[in-house]
Amino acid sequence: PGETQHRVQVNGVDHYYDAAPYDAIHIDGLAGTDALDVNGKATSEKVVFDGTSIHVSESTTYNVFGQDFENTYVFGGGGEDSATMLGSTGADNFYAKPTYTYLRGDSNAFLNYVKNFTTVTVDASNGGGLDKVYAYDSPGDDVLTAGESQATLDYDSTASPGVNITAIGFNETNAYAMSGGHDSATLIGS
């Protein structure tokens, strides 16, 4: 989505649409292994991933709907961007880093990826596979809180307080503090 034109990239090919008459774009990847890239604007976007389906919205300005895309990428353009990723019934692996996160779902059958998002919530509580989180720290002071069914990560908590990553319903949480800062972890038992 752009200021005067919407640009949608499907399988590496750019498609442009005049922003004035179009406030919703629906794209179906159909069969095969397909990729969808969406580049956000400087305003706040909200993204919901559900396996191979995606909905990107920016208040009342535009909506992008994609279905049957095995690889989806959304790049935040500024603003308070937020994403929700829903797990599958298979094994899901979620990777969290300071500037990007992604979910490899259903034993790598799909990829949901976001970059430069303020908050990301991933929910694997409806799944049935062995679901794992791999969280990597930032150079700042990060705070991890992990309990039996939920883990949260606040990147650079001193400079920008507030939870950035929330992982719900995962069987295992792996956290790596390798980038410096005064990181802390609180583990809550069952």
Side-chain angles (χ1 to χ4, degrees):
E3 296 300 323
T4 59
Q5 287 189 326
H6 296 303
R7 179 178 67 89
V8 178
Q9 190 176 75
V10 179
N11 295 330
V13 178
D14 289 337
H15 303 274
Y16 294 91
Y17 303 94
D18 185 351
Y22 298 109
D23 61 0
I25 299 171
H26 297 262
I27 308 158
D28 191 334
L30 301 172
T33 301
D34 300 298
L36 174 65
D37 293 14
V38 178
N39 291 285
K41 295 170 39 175
T43 56
S44 299
E45 274 100 11
K46 180 179 177 182
V47 179
V48 177
F49 294 94
D50 190 356
T52 60
S53 297
I54 182 173
H55 176 207
V56 182
S57 62
E58 189 263 338
S59 123
T60 59
T61 306
Y62 74 85
N63 288 279
V64 175
F65 299 91
Q67 65 183 32
D68 297 323
F69 284 93
E70 290 73 23
N71 299 294
T72 51
Y73 304 86
V74 181
F75 302 93
E80 297 291 318
D81 299 329
S82 66
T84 300
M85 300 175 177
L86 302 177
S88 70
T89 56
D92 299 323
N93 291 319
F94 176 66
Y95 299 86
K97 295 196 175 188
T99 59
Y100 66 92
T101 63
Y102 61 95
L103 176 66
R104 279 267 184 210
D106 200 12
S107 302
N108 291 330
F110 66 85
L111 168 70
N112 299 152
Y113 176 98
V114 295
K115 184 172 184 177
N116 297 327
F117 271 61
T118 306
T119 59
V120 176
T121 300
V122 60
D123 187 346
S125 61
N126 291 330
L130 179 58
D131 303 323
K132 299 179 183 181
V133 174
Y134 300 92
Y136 298 85
D137 71 327
S138 75
D141 300 335
D142 307 317
V143 175
L144 172 74
T145 304
E148 184 178 2
S149 62
Q150 179 172 305
T152 59
L153 180 57
D154 179 1
Y155 282 119
D156 200 7
S157 63
T158 305
S160 62
V163 173
N164 301 105
I165 305 293
T166 302
I168 303 165
F170 283 81
N171 303 93
E172 184 179 307
T173 300
N174 303 280
Y176 303 94
M178 305 180 304
S179 298
H182 297 288
D183 301 331
S184 66
T186 301
L187 307 176
I188 303 165
S190 58

